[in-house]
């Protein structure tokens, strides 16, 4: 199936999912409760979009200043992160519980980091773990010991404190 045929199918399935979710939620909390929740999430999305506009403008200004001074920064990642937050805010503004679910998911930094990792298929990853995992591990003095190897410089290794 071509992309032009998939887009209307996607919107029809999305509308059916929104209708089913609204029916389920209104069955649980009543019609007025469901409408109130839709209004509440739309207002939250508007507030999130407004806050995002100010912070994104500031980040863009910093990225442009860093780029003009010759520094290379994580401006691509910051812009993608801002775009994902903005898309999540728009999904919150759209009435419906399925779009609210995905909008709230995009508000979580861990979900955005996961999406960014999936979108950057050509770049190497830092290995297992989350993005921004610490490269320095701070240990207390009783948690490490010095191990001297004959042909290697001094290394510190953690001690096993299990039983």
């Amino acid at each position: 199936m071509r992309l032009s045929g998939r887009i209307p199918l996607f919107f029809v399935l999305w509308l059916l999912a929104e209708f089913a979710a609204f029916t389920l939620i209104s069955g649980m909390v009543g019609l007025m409760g469901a409408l109130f929740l839709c209004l509440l999430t739309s207002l939250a999305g508007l507030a999130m979009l407004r806050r995002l506009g100010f912070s994104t403008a500031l980040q863009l200004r910093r990225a442009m200043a860093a780029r003009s001074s010759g520094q290379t920064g994580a401006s691509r990642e910051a812009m993608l992160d801002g775009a994902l937050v903005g898309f999540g805010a728009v999904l919150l503004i759209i009435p419906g519980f399925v779009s609210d679910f995905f909008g709230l998911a995009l508000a979580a930094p861990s979900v955005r980091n996961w999406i960014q990792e999936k979108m950057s298929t050509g770049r190497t990853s830092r290995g297992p773990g989350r993005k921004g995992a610490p490269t320095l591990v701070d240990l207390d003095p009783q948690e490490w010991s010095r191990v001297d190897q004959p042909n290697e410089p001094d290394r510190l290794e953690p001690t096993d404190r299990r039983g």
Side-chain angles (χ1 to χ4, degrees), residues 75-141:
S75 60
R76 180 182 299 166
E77 287 82 10
M79 290 180 74
L80 181 58
D81 189 62
L84 289 172
V85 171
F87 185 60
V90 169
L91 287 175
L92 280 172
I93 293 170
I94 295 172
F97 292 110
V98 175
S99 59
D100 289 345
F101 173 76
F102 286 109
L104 288 172
L106 286 175
S110 60
V111 174
R112 292 193 313 268
N113 288 340
W114 180 79
I115 291 172
Q116 286 179 359
E117 286 177 8
K118 293 298 179 186
M119 291 179 78
S120 63
T121 55
R123 293 181 234 155
T124 59
S125 176
R126 291 183 66 173
R130 67 180 194 271
K131 182 179 176 184
T135 56
L136 174 69
V137 178
D138 189 19
L139 298 173
D140 290 329

Side-chain angles (χ1 to χ4, degrees), residues 139-160:
L139 298 173
D140 290 329
Q142 67 270 16
E143 295 177 331
W144 62 271
S145 64
R146 186 173 297 273
V147 177
D148 295 324
Q149 298 291 332
N151 295 330
E152 292 184 25
D154 289 344
R155 279 188 356 215
L156 300 178
E157 292 186 2
T159 58
D160 189 12

